[in-house]
Amino acid sequence: MFICVKCRKEMRCDKNGVGADFGNGHVYPSDRYKCPSCGQEILYATNPIYDKDHTSQDEYLDCKKKD
């Protein structure tokens, strides 16, 4: 269970199959959770995988370091 720090509400799973993409094929398969009150979102990530072609997840979030 995930609790929103701001709202003190239980977050709900909004989407499965979201890849946190850190570049060069370094992807963390994740589920996205959302607070029903304020809309804050988090990713619950598992072990990283190599996915250079972006084919294993339904959606990808660009998490590459910005300079």
Side-chain angles (χ1 to χ4, degrees), residues 3-15:
I3 306 294
C4 179
V5 173
K6 180 180 176 184
C7 299
R8 312 294 196 267
K9 302 285 185 191
E10 180 179 353
M11 298 180 99
R12 298 184 184 139
C13 188
D14 179 57
K15 180 161 181 56

Side-chain angles (χ1 to χ4, degrees), residues 23-52:
N24 300 318
H26 185 104
V27 173
Y28 282 83
S30 306
D31 295 327
R32 184 174 62 213
Y33 284 77
K34 186 174 186 176
C35 176
S37 181
C38 72
Q40 178 68 38
E41 296 177 328
I42 63 166
L43 290 181
Y44 175 65
T46 57
N47 295 325
I49 61 171
Y50 181 69
D51 183 17
K52 73 176 182 87

